[in-house]
Amino acid sequence: MAAFDTPVQHRSDKEALVCLRTLGQPDPASLQAYLNVGGYKQLQRLVQDKVKATDVITQVKLSGLRGRGGAGFPTGLKWSFMPRYYDGTKYLVCNTDEGEPGTFKDRDIIRYNPHQLIEGMAIAAYTLGARVGYNYIHGEIWQDYEIFERALDEARAAGFIGENLFNTTFSFDLYAVHGYGAYICGEETALIESIEGKKGQPRFKPPFPASYGVFGKPTNVNNTESYTSIPWILEHGGDAFQALGVPNSGGTKLFSVSGHVERPGNYEVRMGMPFTELLDIAGGVWKGRQLKAVIPGGPSTAVMPAAAIMGATMDYDGLSKAGSSLGAGSMIVMDETTCMVKTLKRLSYFFYEESCGQCTPCREGTGWLYRVVKRIVEGEGRMGDLDLLTDVSSNISGRTICALGDAAATPVLSFIKHFRPEFEYYIQHGKSMVTGKAE
Amino acid sequence: MLSQESLAKIDRELTKYPADHRQAAVMSALRIAQDEKGWLSKDTVAFVAEYLGIPPIAALEVASFYNMYELEPVGQYKITVCTNISCMLRDSDVIVDHLQERLGIGFNETTPDGKFTLKEGECMGCCGGAPLFHINNKRMCEFLTKEKVDAILEELK
Amino acid sequence: MLNIEIDGKAVEVDHGTTIIDAADKLGIAIPRFCYHKKLSVAANCRMCLVQVEKFAKPLPACATPVADGMKIFTRSKAAVEAQKSVMEFLLINHPLDCPICDQGGECDLQDIAVAYGAPASRYAEEKRVVLNKNIGPLVSTDMTRCIQCTRCVRFLKEVGGMMELGMVGRGEHAEITAYVDKSVNSELSGNIIDLCPVGALTSKPFRYKARTWELTRRPSIAPHDGLGSQIEVHIKDGKVLRVLPREKESINECWLSDRDRFSYEGLNSPDRLTVPMIKHHGEWHETDWKTALEFAAGQLKDITSAEGGEQLGVLVSPNSTMEEAYLAKEIAHGLGSDNLDYRLRQTDFRLDGKRMGTPWMGCNIPDLQEMDRILVIGSNLRNEHPLLANRIRKAVALGAELSLVNPMDDDQLMAVKHKAICTPNDMVNVLAQILKAMSGLQRLSLCLPKSLNDLLETVRVWENSQAMAESLAGLGKEVDLVSPRTGIFLGNIAQSHPRFTELYSLAEAIASLCGATFGILSPAANSTGAHLVGALPGEHGLNAKAMLKSPRKAYLLVNVEPELDCHHAAQARQAIAEAECVIALTAYKSEALEHADVLLPIAPFTETSGTYMSMEGRVQSFTAVTKPLGECRPGWKILRVLGNTLGLSGFDFDSSEQVKNAIFGGQKPSTVVWNSLNNNLRELIEIQVKIKSNVLQRLGEVPQFQSDAIVRRSPPLQKTRAVQAPVAAMHSQLLTELGLDDGEMVTVKQGVASVLLKAKRDDGLPHGVVRVPTAMPVTSLLGDLMGEIEVTRA
């Protein structure tokens, strides 16, 4: 089995390693490997010294850490939403349900450095007063789910999770749970529904999970990478983390680079790195070809033509200024041979297939978009189709319960905006401008 | 209806949740049932529902919502190939064509000997290893080439 | 209070009000499909999107709580654009088959599409087709029309208490279905027809019968259980084609039980009697009214003058109107008979004359859902009072603790905190234990008769009974309730219990000790009303049981099918067969009336005017919604003319209103009613303690869809899964002791009569009880509802 394993791709710059600190050790996922890099010391310090929750939150706020799952909401601020006093169980949830195409960073955290995530969650539990935590893991990465279950067993045996930790009154139970093939569960309220054993249908907000989450109890939901950054932040201080990045985008970021590059993989680099540098680290565009376009943060972020991204930096503001967004840092690279019409068809199919079906615009609209794009690819396109696609996308956008509607609209709108001539060519000639072929 | 071993596994999952939220374990209970039976018949789903004390339709809602549950019989090895964008860009089409040719079946079909079923999957969150597929929801096979596919099929035969 | 503005109109609303509620309050119509005021908010249809100042995106009015100072625009460009786009999405996969859709004309989708839809569709791709599901004989499905609003799913889960429908699959392929081939079996299932905003769920019996605009709609009152649900009867060409609820928050809210909704098909039964008939030399002959009435009057007069008035027995159905019951009483009295009763299924009458007033539920219907602690004694709630059960379910959902003392353990689809499932006899002991425990808890004792005191002395309080007492007293695990709102209710089973007196006395005593509301859940639409008008035996008269046990020479039956409606089928059959003269006012030709001498075709509730009084004492009059079928005549008219023909005085009524006035003595009904409703006993009664307890006892329950003559003749109700061939159900231990196997044929014997039934295992039954339903032809040879019974292998 090992023969088909993913070789780890990471940046050699050791100083930039926050989430993948154990890499390079013989068994990086082991408890020993994590203890070797100073693991669980922060948890122990906070719990034994009874460090005040507000002090922890202050450090997290200072760090400039923003939600790494894609929305980029400031983590410290989110933590301050949890009710301090609550008569009952509060919950902690980690979102390791990576299903956004091009995103595979959290998988490497749970398979190469699971203990840092466990410590990060335990620290959050201590800070927020959560008694029980769940890490919801993408169902497709079963081997990695098992690695995480083993890490939990180790941590439990070593007294880092469980009852009365470090001989104090602090107790925290953490469990691994899994999805089973539904992109929508990456949305935090759908994920909560799924933990409860229901279909992953997002809830209308408000109420937010901080007041009505798992089993109706106050719940804090963060992404894997966010929790995993916490022990480092408390070890080195929030300022140090912020200083790794650029203003408004503190710290490092794990970028998942896939598509037409020589060395696809995860690269943990400082926020604000120029795009060209990141592309170089990933080996550049494969086969010596020209860059055509990049989706910088997963398909729910707008596609950028090469010209637009070449001068951009990889951080929240940098990509926003360049006309897209950082998302989960899932960079999909497309070379000059890529037919944008065919690519959009695949993305539209994805959102059509993954719509949960709960609310009208997304349930009905994603199928409509897919069928029209498919018709174009099959040579049955009409000139009015592009305006229709734009209009239908706009009608989905902003009118759904969750962000999947917006996500489904984004590729359609951005592909047509940036590559309209390619679509028009396909409609007129019934074949691809790039490949010269029809489907 | 399910083996003692499977029931013990379900019981372990139940310990993860408060006692009055047995429905929470339905995701793993269905997974465990499918691991034992190969697929989820209506009777199996109803059994799981009864075991957890939830209405059968609530279990069916879940079983039919998540892609990796199989509500129809599948072969001994279910191969699910990702064809989403990152895999597509790295020629998952070639892998799909090769698999279909080698196995003589299309998507959602099973070989006459009941050995292989081929499915098209959505993003599995391993795009760095594209193109890829997984076998029986468990084993991830990445950086596929025609040669690797042949080797895997050989191993499974 | 919050001040907000909707479309420029200012309004003050409570905290937590949603935009849609605020708009409804102002009379501003926001289109909606998934929102329903009685269901949880789903916010999935997105039709109610509105523009809110300072928000970039439109917000769903149903799910957005208002904030102080909020400015909301429901008709602005942004709002209307959002609403129109949602409408477009809803229609792309909708079949637009309005011309063949039963919902046409009363379809929310159709109506809102007229306002928000485009003249032509921009959608040119293939449309979705969804296979129809067979979910039973009441609800028809056309699932391609479904817009996935999930109202039906939410209703069955939240109101019905059981998730019978779900939305399986996902995305565009998501569809509403029951589990595989299951049907929807809720006794409230018909409400999903009303809830469905499109034509996906329609009435199966009504399918293709009429277009909605062809129907005449008339208000009426449901004639079955004691709730008094308000209904709207829809008629075409003089025929009742369907029944819908009229919204009445304090009674039936906006719901109807399936029995109230689908029983109307029984009105169109081929069994209907349409002309008066006289039996002559054993042959039935059709005749005219004059002949029939003169013959009937002559017979009655002959027997009563020759043999005395006491040879006449008058039985009135508790589903008859107050007017009918009153006039029947007048005839009985006029002929010198005190033998009159409406309590056909009661067996224990020791309370007669000991009560202070008319028995009733002791509170109003909505009070139930406000209660903290409820004890129900002898009631299969969902079977007897479907919508009342829903009120209790609501109370339980809001945190009330429900305790049950019952001789069976059917799932009531709500959380039961404590239950004592025991033999009918042991129910008395359990109540004695609760009383004893309550007396200790409250440090109070009542002045009780000796027999009751003796019982309390000897009884040992079991843990479970102690827990029930503590619950009723308001004691809680963490916090005690200071003054809990508590209710204790006796259901239908308790009322036909052979020791009803004991149950009643003990329950009343418990209620007095803990300050609980104490009530009787009246079994039928006019049980309370019939009591109020005095359709009861006089001082020396015979009650319903006695006048069948000691057969009379003549009977006057009003709406009664004796062997199906009375407590002792065999006795009823025999008494009627042997009587010299039986005059039956009936809507149906019936085998049960084979031994009658005169059949007078009476108009059922849809064809007559009259009044029902519900279990909460609500007096509701209704008018005929359609003309009487054939020669049928309203019951009050028939009885009036019979009175005239008999030459009795006081029968000069020209209308049912005049009869009603006579009943209430010209006073306002409410005054009379409130002076009359009273469950208190005049005195505590000596109870029977020694009873034969080592025998098998029958639990003879009335199945929901056999409760009266109309229901029994409704084909769609009779086709439901709730209607099964009668069985002899018992605990598996009893099966073993009797050497029987589940499913084998057994001989069930009561007295001299026996029938062959299948034995069925039901571990919810206490040992010593054999559950054999009544009111079904197969079991109409048997005896006492709760009498001794023998079971042997066939």
Side-chain angles (χ1 to χ4, degrees):
Chain A
M1 201 177 295
F4 310 118
D5 217 341
T6 324
V8 185
Q9 306 280 348
H10 66 89
R11 181 166 161 79
S12 52
D13 178 2
K14 284 265 188 277
E15 284 169 28
L17 285 179
V18 170
C19 293
L20 295 177
R21 281 194 286 178
T22 54
L23 279 185
Q25 298 195 51
D27 184 5
S30 65
L31 175 61
Q32 192 54 53
Y34 188 52
L35 294 176
N36 291 344
V37 297
Y40 288 110
K41 284 211 177 118
Q42 296 311 307
L43 174 66
Q44 185 167 4
R45 175 175 68 85
L46 300 179
V47 175
Q48 283 184 336
D49 298 354
K50 297 191 165 53
V51 174
K52 284 199 294 192
T54 45
D55 294 346
V56 178
I57 294 180
T58 304
Q59 290 305 316
V60 177
K61 282 185 175 167
L62 280 174
S63 74
L65 176 64
R66 292 169 62 171
R68 297 294 195 235
F73 192 81
T75 306
L77 186 60
K78 194 176 208 176
W79 284 17
S80 64
F81 292 156
M82 276 287 272
R84 189 82 60 80
Y85 305 103
Y86 178 78
D87 192 21
T89 309
K90 288 190 266 185
Y91 287 90
L92 201 69
V93 169
C94 175
N95 184 345
T96 311
D97 191 38
E98 289 181 298
E100 171 100 353
T103 316
F104 49 97
K105 64 191 181 65
D106 299 336
R107 175 199 189 200
D108 277 359
I109 292 176
I110 61 164
R111 69 170 168 164
Y112 294 128
N113 194 13
H115 284 283
Q116 190 167 330
L117 168 60
I118 296 170
E119 185 184 11
M121 289 190 74
I123 291 171
Y126 169 78
T127 309
L128 303 173
R131 179 66 180 76
V132 180
Y134 296 108
N135 183 17
Y136 185 98
I137 298 170
H138 202 45
E140 284 83 344
I141 49 170
W142 186 254
Q143 290 146 311
D144 310 306
Y145 175 85
E146 289 186 321
I147 292 172
F148 189 74
E149 280 263 38
R150 280 199 294 277
L152 284 176
D153 289 342
E154 276 185 303
R156 212 170 279 127
F160 295 128
I161 50 172
E163 303 264 325
N164 301 106
L165 299 175
F166 310 107
N167 296 316
T168 68
T169 55
F170 173 60
S171 301
F172 175 58
D173 292 320
L174 177 58
Y175 303 105
V177 295
H178 63 79
Y180 227 51
Y183 164 66
I184 191 62
C185 289
E187 199 279 341
E188 61 178 8
T189 58
L191 186 151
I192 287 170
E193 288 280 303
S194 188
I195 289 177
E196 293 182 359
K198 300 173 190 159
K199 293 178 290 181
Q201 292 192 330
R203 298 173 179 174
F204 179 77
K205 297 185 273 192
F208 289 90
S211 56
Y212 191 91
V214 178
F215 308 127
K217 309 286 189 195
T219 301
N220 181 71
V221 188
N222 284 129
N223 168 257
T224 317
E225 190 184 350
S226 307
Y227 281 127
T228 308
S229 304
I230 298 294
W232 196 99
I233 290 170
L234 290 168
E235 183 182 345
H236 299 90
D239 290 330
F241 186 80
Q242 167 63 59
L244 287 174
V246 292
N248 217 14
S249 300
T252 58
K253 175 85 191 82
L254 265 164
F255 284 96
S256 303
V257 185
S258 67
H260 293 155
V261 290
E262 282 293 344
R263 285 195 304 274
N266 282 314
Y267 298 93
E268 185 171 19
V269 302
R270 294 157 190 263
M271 280 279 200
M273 176 178 273
F275 163 76
T276 47
E277 200 182 329
L278 182 56
L279 185 62
D280 274 352
I281 295 171
V285 179
W286 74 347
K287 301 177 183 173
R289 290 185 188 150
Q290 289 296 305
L291 181 69
K292 178 169 183 177
V294 173
I295 298 175
S300 56
T301 63
V303 65
M304 300 165 79
I309 198 168
M310 287 308 279
T313 56
M314 300 304 284
D315 56 90
Y316 293 104
D317 294 346
L319 285 168
S320 174
K321 263 187 287 182
S324 186
S325 47
L326 181 69
S330 328
M331 195 168 108
I332 303 166
V333 176
M334 289 169 267
D335 72 19
E336 59 196 309
T337 67
T338 313
C339 171
M340 300 310 270
V341 186
K342 194 186 156 194
T343 306
L344 179 62
K345 179 191 145 198
R346 186 61 187 84
L347 289 177
S348 303
Y349 179 76
F350 170 67
F351 288 109
Y352 160 62
E353 168 66 25
E354 295 294 341
S355 167
C356 83
Q358 183 180 204
C359 68
T360 307
C362 176
R363 178 184 64 239
E364 306 295 341
T366 51
W368 193 352
L369 293 177
Y370 166 63
R371 289 197 176 89
V372 174
V373 180
K374 179 167 172 270
R375 195 160 42 69
I376 295 172
V377 170
E378 286 166 356
E380 301 290 324
R382 303 166 199 140
M383 267 339 249
D385 283 345
L386 297 183
D387 289 340
L388 179 67
L389 285 171
T390 309
D391 204 39
V392 171
S393 299
S394 310
N395 282 346
I396 301 172
S397 209
R399 289 168 188 173
T400 49
I401 290 176
C402 77
L404 193 138
D406 297 5
T410 300
V412 177
L413 292 170
S414 61
F415 272 63
I416 294 177
K417 177 179 168 194
H418 294 299
F419 300 96
R420 194 172 180 107
E422 220 176 289
F423 282 84
E424 287 172 348
Y425 182 93
Y426 213 126
I427 290 169
Q428 279 162 350
H429 299 87
K431 60 181 183 180
S432 170
M433 186 163 102
V434 183
T435 65
K437 284 187 261 181
E439 283 268 305
Chain B
M1 191 60 209
L2 285 181
S3 67
Q4 282 309 313
E5 197 190 344
S6 293
L7 294 180
K9 283 184 191 167
I10 296 174
D11 290 343
R12 181 181 170 272
E13 294 298 325
L14 279 164
T15 64
K16 296 178 176 177
Y17 309 101
D20 55 342
H21 289 281
R22 289 174 66 88
Q23 174 158 3
V26 73
M27 293 281 290
S28 32
L30 289 170
R31 185 251 307 157
I32 291 162
Q34 179 164 299
D35 286 350
E36 181 185 323
K37 302 275 183 190
W39 65 289
L40 296 171
S41 69
K42 306 295 184 202
D43 288 344
T44 307
V45 174
F47 176 84
V48 167
E50 199 188 334
Y51 191 75
L52 298 177
I54 61 173
I57 187 71
L60 184 64
E61 277 195 343
V62 169
S64 64
F65 186 87
Y66 298 90
N67 278 350
M68 290 161 70
Y69 297 116
E70 298 302 332
L71 297 174
E72 299 291 336
V74 290
Q76 187 184 352
Y77 297 105
K78 177 182 77 167
I79 298 178
T80 312
V81 196
C82 175
T83 59
N84 210 307
I85 179 165
S86 297
C87 286
M88 181 185 102
L89 292 173
R90 294 189 82 91
D91 300 330
S92 57
D93 291 2
V94 173
I95 301 301
V96 170
D97 290 347
H98 186 64
L99 272 170
Q100 294 188 337
E101 196 191 308
R102 279 290 313 265
L103 299 174
I105 51 173
F107 281 134
N108 301 314
E109 289 175 6
T110 301
T111 51
D113 62 358
K115 198 106 186 173
F116 293 100
T117 298
L118 208 52
K119 295 247 167 184
E120 185 174 21
E122 285 305 334
C123 182
M124 302 191 186
C126 304
C127 325
L132 51 85
F133 59 58
H134 68 167
I135 302 167
N136 287 348
N137 293 346
K138 293 283 190 294
R139 175 178 164 188
M140 187 67 70
C141 303
E142 299 171 77
F143 297 104
L144 293 174
T145 58
K146 285 184 184 180
E147 294 70 31
K148 269 187 189 169
V149 170
D150 288 342
I152 293 166
L153 291 180
E154 202 53 46
E155 183 198 318
L156 297 179
K157 263 186 180 157
Chain C
M1 295 299 271
L2 305 170
N3 289 296
I4 59 159
E5 206 181 285
I6 306 181
D7 294 345
K9 286 187 202 167
V11 64
E12 202 183 48
V13 294
D14 288 328
H15 274 270
T17 307
T18 56
I19 293 176
I20 211 163
D21 289 339
D24 285 349
K25 192 176 167 187
L26 277 176
I28 292 171
I30 298 176
R32 84 272 319 253
F33 295 108
C34 70
Y35 174 78
H36 192 278
K37 61 186 173 187
K38 293 281 175 189
L39 303 176
S40 64
V41 171
N44 63 29
C45 77
R46 318 306 284 176
M47 193 63 219
C48 70
L49 289 172
V50 294
Q51 189 193 357
V52 179
E53 193 181 63
K54 293 181 196 140
F55 284 84
K57 296 175 181 178
L59 298 177
C62 66
T64 309
V66 297
D68 202 27
M70 213 180 228
K71 283 203 170 93
I72 298 145
F73 305 93
T74 74
R75 305 287 305 155
S76 65
K77 188 166 170 281
V80 172
E81 258 174 25
Q83 291 157 0
K84 284 192 166 173
S85 72
V86 171
M87 178 49 76
E88 179 177 38
F89 285 130
L90 282 170
L91 292 179
I92 65 170
N93 274 307
H94 189 78
L96 301 172
D97 58 345
C98 309
I100 55 152
C101 176
D102 265 354
Q103 193 85 350
E106 53 184 13
C107 174
D108 292 352
L109 188 65
Q110 201 178 34
D111 295 346
I112 297 174
V114 170
Y116 297 88
S121 177
R122 297 191 290 170
Y123 185 75
E125 322 307 319
E126 64 190 291
K127 284 196 172 212
R128 173 174 63 226
V129 174
V130 184
L131 285 181
N132 290 338
K133 320 286 182 290
N134 184 359
I135 57 169
L138 305 180
V139 183
S140 181
T141 68
D142 292 271
M143 298 318 286
T144 302
R145 295 175 188 150
C146 174
I147 57 167
Q148 284 87 4
C149 74
T150 68
R151 276 184 181 182
C152 53
V153 177
R154 285 176 284 146
F155 172 82
L156 289 166
K157 193 171 164 185
E158 296 163 13
V159 181
M162 168 83 170
M163 186 178 178
E164 291 191 276
L165 287 177
M167 190 163 89
V168 302
R170 75 179 186 208
E172 201 186 78
H173 310 294
E175 54 183 79
I176 306 288
T177 178
Y179 190 75
V180 198
D181 301 322
K182 285 199 171 181
S183 49
V184 171
N185 300 323
S186 167
E187 66 281 6
L188 305 175
S189 72
N191 293 296
I192 62 178
I193 299 167
D194 299 345
L195 285 170
C196 184
V198 297
L201 303 176
T202 51
S203 164
K204 208 174 250 185
F206 178 66
R207 196 166 172 82
Y208 301 143
K209 291 275 171 68
R211 303 305 309 205
T212 166
W213 53 87
E214 301 170 328
L215 296 164
T216 312
R217 291 142 202 260
R218 299 239 162 82
S220 188
I221 302 297
H224 308 295
D225 64 27
L227 200 77
S229 295
Q230 299 200 344
I231 58 173
E232 187 173 82
V233 184
H234 291 199
I235 301 138
K236 186 185 167 191
D237 302 333
K239 196 173 163 191
V240 176
L241 288 187
R242 67 174 175 179
V243 167
L244 296 182
R246 270 188 292 147
E247 188 169 342
K248 183 70 181 170
E249 187 57 29
S250 54
I251 303 176
N252 50 305
E253 304 172 74
C254 49
W255 314 129
L256 268 193
S257 66
D258 286 351
R259 179 166 58 188
D260 288 344
R261 183 187 297 269
F262 295 107
S263 68
Y264 74 87
E265 284 276 311
L267 300 170
N268 305 326
S269 160
D271 275 2
R272 279 291 297 275
L273 178 70
T274 51
V275 284
M277 295 181 87
I278 294 178
K279 201 193 271 167
H280 195 62
H281 296 305
E283 292 279 326
W284 283 109
H285 297 281
E286 293 189 353
T287 183
D288 57 77
W289 271 107
K290 194 161 182 290
T291 314
L293 285 167
E294 275 168 4
F295 180 76
Q299 292 261 310
L300 287 172
K301 227 169 183 173
D302 286 354
I303 290 174
T304 51
S305 46
E307 314 273 348
E310 69 272 13
Q311 278 306 329
L312 170 67
V314 179
L315 292 170
V316 184
S317 148
N319 301 88
S320 296
T321 63
M322 291 181 87
E323 291 81 355
E324 288 159 358
Y326 172 81
L327 291 171
K329 178 185 82 168
E330 293 297 302
I331 285 178
H333 292 176
L335 290 171
S337 173
D338 260 351
N339 307 332
L340 167 73
D341 213 340
Y342 72 92
R343 298 163 300 174
L344 309 181
R345 292 193 178 109
Q346 191 165 319
T347 57
D348 174 8
F349 294 87
R350 283 173 290 148
L351 283 173
D352 277 13
K354 308 259 165 70
R355 276 190 285 216
M356 309 258 294
T358 298
W360 67 303
M361 74 177 290
C363 59
N364 290 118
I365 292 161
D367 296 344
L368 270 183
Q369 76 202 50
E370 309 291 328
M371 288 188 172
D372 302 308
R373 305 295 157 95
I374 298 170
L375 169 64
V376 177
I377 302 159
S379 175
N380 188 356
L381 281 166
R382 288 174 52 211
N383 182 60
E384 297 168 10
H385 313 283
L387 280 178
L388 204 72
N390 172 48
R391 296 276 186 174
I392 297 177
R393 184 173 299 123
K394 251 198 253 185
V396 169
L398 294 169
E401 291 183 7
L402 172 67
S403 299
L404 297 175
V405 177
N406 262 336
M408 45 86 221
D409 194 17
D410 290 12
D411 192 350
Q412 301 301 333
L413 301 180
M414 60 187 107
V416 180
K417 185 79 177 173
H418 305 288
K419 62 184 173 192
I421 306 303
C422 51
T423 62
N425 270 325
D426 283 340
M427 289 169 68
V428 176
N429 291 326
V430 169
L431 292 190
Q433 292 176 31
I434 298 173
L435 177 60
K436 188 170 182 176
M438 183 66 76
S439 169
L441 290 171
Q442 308 284 14
R443 298 175 198 285
L444 281 173
S445 57
L446 291 166
C447 198
L448 298 173
K450 182 168 179 310
S451 55
L452 209 59
N453 264 327
D454 291 349
L455 175 62
L456 294 190
E457 284 287 320
T458 54
V459 87
R460 194 180 125 223
V461 180
W462 288 66
E463 207 177 304
N464 194 38
S465 309
Q466 178 74 28
M468 285 198 206
E470 287 175 9
S471 168
L472 290 171
L475 306 189
K477 225 182 202 168
E478 278 113 31
V479 216
D480 296 346
L481 299 177
V482 182
S483 54
R485 291 157 296 185
T486 309
I488 300 180
F489 301 99
L490 294 174
N492 295 6
I493 295 174
Q495 291 169 72
S496 40
H497 196 286
R499 302 177 75 197
F500 176 48
T501 305
E502 281 78 13
L503 295 179
Y504 194 103
S505 307
L506 288 163
E508 199 223 10
I510 297 168
S512 333
L513 278 184
C514 65
T517 296
F518 171 58
I520 305 294
L521 306 179
S522 317
N526 197 40
S527 306
T528 320
H531 195 285
L532 186 97
V533 303
L536 294 161
E539 207 175 332
H540 304 292
L542 300 178
N543 57 48
K545 180 184 177 182
M547 68 178 102
L548 293 171
K549 198 174 174 190
S550 327
R552 304 291 95 189
K553 293 225 159 66
Y555 287 98
L556 175 63
L557 305 175
V558 183
N559 260 326
V560 178
E561 294 183 286
E563 59 201 55
L564 299 176
D565 289 331
C566 294
H567 87 284
H568 197 304
Q571 241 169 41
R573 173 189 294 262
Q574 198 177 359
I576 298 302
E578 288 172 6
E580 283 173 24
C581 158
V582 177
I583 314 294
L585 275 67
T586 173
Y588 298 100
K589 285 172 274 192
S590 163
E591 261 181 56
L593 295 168
E594 194 47 41
H595 297 293
D597 299 285
V598 183
L599 296 180
L600 303 175
I602 191 173
F605 76 107
T606 41
E607 299 165 21
T608 182
S609 56
T611 306
Y612 286 141
M613 187 164 134
S614 72
M615 62 168 85
E616 60 169 348
R618 189 186 289 265
V619 176
Q620 303 190 100
S621 294
F622 51 89
T623 55
V625 298
T626 180
K627 278 202 194 103
L629 187 69
E631 291 295 310
C632 284
R633 291 294 173 264
W636 70 268
K637 263 190 198 170
I638 299 171
L639 291 165
R640 186 207 66 190
V641 181
L642 184 61
N644 299 147
T645 316
L646 284 163
L648 304 175
S649 60
F651 281 84
D652 316 316
F653 303 107
D654 289 331
S655 67
S656 65
E657 283 76 28
Q658 290 180 1
V659 184
K660 186 179 167 190
N661 279 336
I663 293 170
F664 292 103
Q667 283 186 281
K668 256 173 65 181
S670 55
T671 316
V672 177
V673 167
W674 292 112
N675 287 331
S676 150
L677 297 179
N678 195 334
N679 289 327
N680 294 341
L681 294 172
R682 287 183 198 282
E683 57 189 283
L684 281 165
I685 301 159
E686 293 286 350
I687 62 162
Q688 272 180 330
V689 180
K690 281 197 186 133
I691 30 106
K692 201 167 145 195
S693 59
N694 56 347
V695 292
L696 284 186
Q697 193 173 4
R698 177 181 175 194
L699 171 61
E701 217 194 338
V702 185
Q704 183 169 190
F705 297 149
Q706 315 296 341
S707 61
D708 57 61
I710 301 176
V711 173
R712 290 193 283 263
R713 288 181 176 80
S714 163
L717 288 179
Q718 296 306 318
K719 277 186 228 150
T720 59
R721 276 183 58 90
V723 177
Q724 305 269 327
V727 292
M730 61 198 98
H731 195 277
S732 48
Q733 202 189 328
L734 184 55
L735 277 175
T736 315
E737 283 171 25
L738 296 172
L740 303 173
D741 290 324
D742 188 9
E744 81 173 301
M745 294 304 289
V746 292
T747 305
V748 172
K749 193 169 169 221
Q750 276 191 295
V752 291
S754 64
V755 296
L756 274 181
L757 296 176
K758 230 181 218 175
K760 185 172 184 269
R761 181 185 141 170
D762 179 353
D763 286 346
L765 291 172
H767 187 269
V769 166
V770 182
R771 186 179 189 172
V772 179
T774 183
M776 303 183 84
V778 181
T779 58
S780 68
L781 293 167
L782 293 174
D784 202 334
L785 285 185
M786 289 197 169
E788 276 184 54
I789 192 165
E790 289 170 59
V791 181
T792 48
R793 173 172 284 149

